[in-house]
Amino acid sequence: MLFSKFLQNILHRGMVYVLLFILVSFVNTDLLNGQDYRFQQKVDYKMTLDFDWKNHQYSGKQVLKYKNNSRDTLYKLYYHLYFNAFQPGSDMDEVSRHIKDPDKRVADRIFKLKRSEYGFVKVLSLTKDGQPTKFDEQGTILEVTLETPILPGRSAKLEMEFLSQIPLQIRRTGRNNKEGIEYSVSQGYPKICGYDEQGWHANPYIAREFYGPFGNFDVTINMPSQYIVAATGVLQNPEEIGHGYAPSSSKKKEKMLSWRFLAKNVHDFVWAADPDYKHLTYTSYNGKTFRYFYQENDKTKENWENLPKVMDEVLQYLDRNYGEYPYPEYSFIQGGDGGMEYPMATLITGERPFNSLVGVSVHEFVHSWYQGVIATNEALFHWMDEGFTNYVSAEVMNHLKSKKMVPGEYEQNPQLSSVLGYINFTTTGLEESMSTHADHFLTNAAYGNASYTKGQVLLEQLKYIIGDVAFKKGMKRYFDEWKFKHPKPNDFFRVMEKASGIELDWFKEYFVYTTHTINYSVHREDVNGIVFHRIGRMPMPLDVTLTLKNGSIKKFHIPLDVMRGAKKQDATFGDFTVAEPWPWARQFYTLKTDIPVNQIFGVKIDETERLADVAKGDNHFPRQKIEGEDFTK
Ligand SMILES: [Zn+2]
């Protein structure tokens, strides 16, 4: 006995030493160097843009400090040259003219541009740490071959001169948009491509999604003094500028004004300029500055004057429910075509009815959470940006309806229309998996379905699976844990697993990586209980409502075995009993309860209508009671 205890002790100590050794070596190699296999490159842009309004061009000087936080030695660098997409024969033009269902805003408009209407960005010179560097322009991508590589953990200073021509407004960016805004300038500078553990993301631009590293942008724009400039960041010299940023200085106006904007921890920079901008400012409930830039006319005046108060309510709602907006300012800028999100700003068309103006403002502002701050690689995980933004926007709009701040009736379930839209799309034969790269969908419709609609439905399904209480907690935690870190799908699902105590890998694998659909039915009743049938390939837990002959209602939740748990609270469904798990591989399942089967009058799957079941006609029993169908069929 004594000997074995001694041995145990030795073994125990041995284990402790082994553990200590593992811990120490882990700390030494990885944690102390800050080099996990996940890393984030860091950028600092300093740019000066000298505007030449006669030619709609600007010459730019860019100093980019690039910190290589990876374990890789970088022999090449890639930049985006987005403006080059606005030339006949560009990839964007090719895709737009040959896709089955072109975006009408683009169609063949690029093909018809005259040379003076093209967009371009030409890199004139580039040095790394003072040494001239070879570069090669390949459409919308610039490939840079470094003489001396950037070693792991080291920084490089890249100095560039470039010339940009602002294209005629086609999509997002451009001059003279249809509402008469002179310059909406997004994607207008050479922007370093994203580099992460999947390598470079040097995708030629075809008008879809974006991705780039976080850093600070210090941008000076030299413009003729009659222009009012709106941009990402905080204006550093408001007294000098006037124009609503500060009371106009008494000094005689200069011919040119230097606008200096500073934005910290953002991944892009947008600006717009127009001599006729009206500039309103609004101090938010928590002391932040919200700016509104628009051309005042009969279509805009009243709506834009009423917008700031509504958006302040939106900010409060989002801060409370989805995590706090981290920047000191935000600008709503009339410009572009439709609506497009950028860090600390959005370009939206402004001559809209009030409801539509609020709708687009809400959508683009919600992007501040899922594009601006969470900043997933949108090309690969578009649904984590557009889908989540759509989901939250629908909740926000419903909240505004409940407060009578926008017209329309409050809806019990503001996500229902997206669930029905997705179900409808599954019948078209056009559906492609959500895991498809944004640029590679065969149709715009399939891209729109996967990124916007099914992305939105994914959150609604998740809320149904884990319950609304855990869901709400998880969404906030996701933002707090992953802000400024470019999360990937698994990161999101892990947060939701931790918030709910439920395994979700099966859900992710089916919903994100396949186009399998959900289809259940109430099959029949037998002496043991109610039998349900999984007809579709995708398994899901079931909310089941039983109506008894005495008129009372009993609710059950049937989890899947692979969930290794079940939702605890779900205010939407109400009080329920958790039934035995359904082993997912089985097609049939019998719900056994202590209620005698002959006391059960009605059975209904998913009474809250959240489940994206593609054939709902057989989700209840008896069928003729609800649908007027013959339940014996
Ligand atoms: Zn969007």
Side-chain angles (χ1 to χ4, degrees):
M1 284 295 271
L2 269 175
F3 180 73
S4 69
K5 211 163 206 177
F6 172 74
L7 198 65
Q8 234 176 16
N9 235 332
I10 295 280
L11 277 175
H12 182 72
R13 278 193 193 188
M15 276 310 284
V16 169
Y17 288 133
V18 167
L19 279 174
L20 261 176
F21 177 74
I22 289 170
L23 192 68
V24 165
S25 48
F26 179 64
V27 166
N28 273 342
T29 55
D30 287 334
L31 291 182
L32 291 184
N33 295 333
Q35 287 199 4
D36 199 346
Y37 79 104
R38 295 280 282 266
F39 59 87
Q40 280 176 251
Q41 306 297 64
K42 173 85 165 58
V43 292
D44 278 307
Y45 287 91
K46 198 170 165 74
M47 285 193 281
T48 305
L49 312 177
D50 286 309
F51 198 72
D52 165 12
W53 61 273
K54 279 189 200 126
N55 294 307
H56 312 293
Q57 295 178 348
Y58 50 90
S59 35
K61 284 196 177 70
Q62 183 189 83
V63 181
L64 173 63
K65 269 181 70 186
Y66 188 83
K67 172 89 192 293
N68 177 16
N69 287 323
S70 77
R71 290 173 173 178
D72 308 330
T73 300
L74 300 179
Y75 297 91
K76 291 206 173 192
L77 298 174
Y78 295 90
Y79 288 76
H80 293 285
L81 305 173
Y82 294 112
F83 270 8
N84 291 349
F86 302 99
Q87 297 170 14
S90 71
D91 292 334
M92 180 170 164
D93 178 38
E94 285 290 313
V95 169
S96 180
R97 283 187 296 122
H98 296 113
I99 201 162
K100 236 165 60 186
D101 56 344
D103 180 341
K104 286 194 187 72
R105 291 169 294 194
V106 184
D108 61 352
R109 288 179 63 215
I110 296 176
F111 191 67
K112 290 177 173 164
L113 287 176
K114 297 191 209 74
R115 197 165 282 272
S116 61
E117 299 166 337
Y118 285 12
F120 65 72
V121 49
K122 273 194 179 62
V123 175
L124 307 173
S125 68
L126 177 63
T127 62
K128 173 187 168 276
D129 300 320
Q131 299 299 311
T133 299
K134 269 189 249 162
F135 55 89
D136 180 28
E137 190 182 303
Q138 300 161 2
T140 55
I141 295 292
L142 185 81
E143 183 181 292
V144 179
T145 307
L146 299 172
E147 289 279 313
T148 51
I150 309 176
L151 299 175
R154 304 301 282 269
S155 294
K157 186 175 173 187
L158 301 148
E159 288 177 271
M160 179 190 275
E161 289 179 317
F162 64 94
L163 180 69
S164 287
Q165 177 164 296
I166 303 172
L168 204 67
Q169 213 279 332
I170 302 283
R171 184 83 182 88
R172 293 174 179 148
T173 191
R175 63 184 144 99
N176 308 326
N177 86 342
K178 63 178 192 296
E179 294 188 347
I181 303 300
E182 288 197 18
Y183 298 109
S184 311
V185 191
S186 55
Q187 294 96 32
Y189 61 95
K191 181 182 173 185
I192 194 90
C193 296
Y195 184 83
D196 57 24
E197 73 274 13
Q198 291 174 292
W200 284 106
H201 297 273
N203 305 313
Y205 182 57
I206 62 152
R208 288 240 171 93
E209 304 286 346
F210 302 93
Y211 177 50
F214 279 103
N216 302 323
F217 282 70
D218 180 347
V219 182
T220 300
I221 305 169
N222 295 318
M223 287 292 284
S225 61
Q226 70 270 26
Y227 281 94
I228 297 176
V229 179
T232 295
V234 177
L235 186 70
Q236 299 298 294
N237 52 342
E239 286 79 15
E240 197 183 322
I241 295 294
H243 280 319
Y245 283 90
S248 291
S249 61
S250 54
K251 279 193 298 177
K252 205 171 136 249
K253 279 274 179 244
E254 304 293 324
K255 274 216 164 92
M256 295 290 281
L257 278 178
S258 289
W259 301 67
R260 185 171 168 220
F261 293 94
L262 195 62
K264 290 183 180 163
N265 218 9
V266 296
H267 54 70
D268 201 1
F269 182 85
V270 65
W271 61 285
D274 195 280
D276 305 320
Y277 268 146
K278 168 114 185 167
H279 174 193
L280 293 183
T281 60
Y282 189 96
T283 305
S284 75
Y285 80 100
N286 54 355
K288 298 187 172 185
T289 303
F290 279 64
R291 300 179 186 280
Y292 297 81
F293 298 88
Y294 60 100
Q295 280 187 347
E296 198 174 72
N297 60 36
D298 290 351
K299 290 178 191 153
T300 58
K301 188 176 185 313
E302 203 187 332
N303 292 343
W304 279 75
E305 283 172 359
N306 290 330
L307 187 59
K309 199 166 166 266
V310 176
M311 293 315 294
D312 195 44
E313 177 64 30
V314 173
L315 173 70
Q316 289 185 54
Y317 181 82
L318 291 169
D319 280 349
R320 198 166 58 235
N321 292 295
Y322 297 97
E324 202 177 321
Y325 178 73
Y327 300 112
E329 292 201 11
Y330 189 86
S331 295
F332 293 90
I333 308 165
Q334 187 185 8
D337 64 330
M340 184 61 195
E341 69 277 10
Y342 299 98
M344 300 178 72
T346 176
L347 294 177
I348 54 176
T349 48
E351 295 178 356
R352 300 157 169 266
F354 188 62
N355 214 15
S356 164
L357 182 65
V358 172
V360 73
S361 300
V362 165
H363 179 95
E364 305 311 335
F365 185 48
V366 171
H367 270 303
S368 293
W369 277 251
Y370 300 104
Q371 188 258 2
V373 173
I374 295 258
T376 48
N377 181 339
E378 299 168 47
L380 290 173
F381 318 120
H382 37 80
W383 54 273
M384 295 175 77
D385 175 25
E386 293 300 350
F388 288 20
T389 296
N390 254 7
Y391 176 92
V392 173
S393 300
E395 296 292 319
V396 170
M397 290 306 285
N398 210 31
H399 171 73
L400 293 177
K401 284 175 193 166
S402 78
K403 300 213 101 186
K404 304 275 176 237
M405 293 183 90
V406 292
E409 286 292 306
Y410 174 80
E411 291 171 84
Q412 207 54 48
N413 180 5
Q415 308 298 339
L416 180 62
S417 58
S418 70
V419 174
L420 298 177
Y422 156 70
I423 290 171
N424 208 22
F425 198 78
T426 60
T427 64
T428 61
L430 294 174
E431 195 188 358
E432 294 174 62
S433 154
M434 290 170 88
S435 59
T436 309
H437 186 292
D439 294 345
H440 299 287
F441 283 95
L442 297 177
T443 60
N444 279 318
Y447 157 69
N449 172 70
S451 60
Y452 289 79
T453 312
K454 199 177 171 187
Q456 179 175 357
V457 173
L458 179 139
L459 290 190
E460 180 69 354
Q461 300 311 287
L462 194 55
K463 190 168 70 179
Y464 164 87
I465 295 166
I466 68 177
D468 42 23
V469 177
F471 177 79
K472 194 174 168 182
K473 202 168 78 183
M475 287 301 282
K476 189 112 184 263
R477 184 166 164 180
Y478 172 53
F479 182 83
D480 289 337
E481 278 185 19
W482 285 99
K483 58 188 171 190
F484 307 114
K485 288 184 188 157
H486 312 293
K488 299 195 163 53
N490 201 56
D491 302 318
F492 170 71
F493 285 105
R494 286 295 294 136
V495 169
M496 289 316 216
E497 286 186 339
K498 288 173 195 166
S500 65
I502 292 171
E503 295 287 309
L504 294 166
D505 44 352
W506 60 275
F507 174 64
K508 176 188 65 188
E509 279 140 24
Y510 272 94
F511 213 66
V512 176
Y513 297 104
T514 79
T515 55
H516 293 318
T517 52
I518 303 160
N519 184 7
Y520 281 88
S521 73
V522 185
H523 186 58
R524 63 186 165 85
E525 54 180 45
D526 67 19
V527 286
N528 298 314
I530 310 293
V531 182
F532 296 89
H533 183 195
R534 176 173 61 77
I535 301 163
R537 285 291 298 276
M538 177 162 175
M540 280 290 270
L542 295 185
D543 282 350
V544 173
T545 307
L546 304 184
T547 312
L548 308 193
K549 283 181 178 155
N550 65 12
S552 66
I553 302 274
K554 297 277 180 206
K555 294 182 183 184
F556 293 88
H557 178 69
I558 309 171
L560 296 167
D561 59 344
V562 283
M563 288 161 60
R564 304 292 160 218
K567 63 183 171 188
K568 292 173 188 72
Q569 280 173 287
D570 191 358
T572 313
F573 187 38
D575 290 335
F576 55 86
T577 305
V578 176
E580 281 295 305
W582 181 327
W584 77 269
R586 314 287 166 88
Q587 278 185 289
F588 293 93
Y589 170 93
T590 304
L591 175 66
K592 293 171 193 152
T593 71
D594 50 14
I595 306 160
V597 173
N598 63 12
Q599 294 302 304
I600 299 171
F601 170 73
V603 183
K604 187 158 175 49
I605 296 172
D606 181 37
E607 64 163 57
T608 58
E609 290 198 81
R610 292 180 292 173
L611 185 67
D613 186 311
V614 296
K616 291 182 184 239
D618 53 11
N619 285 10
H620 43 76
F621 192 90
R623 285 175 204 149
Q624 88 278 21
K625 173 88 169 65
I626 296 154
E627 296 278 307
E629 293 170 15
D630 179 357
F631 71 94
T632 56
K633 273 184 190 166

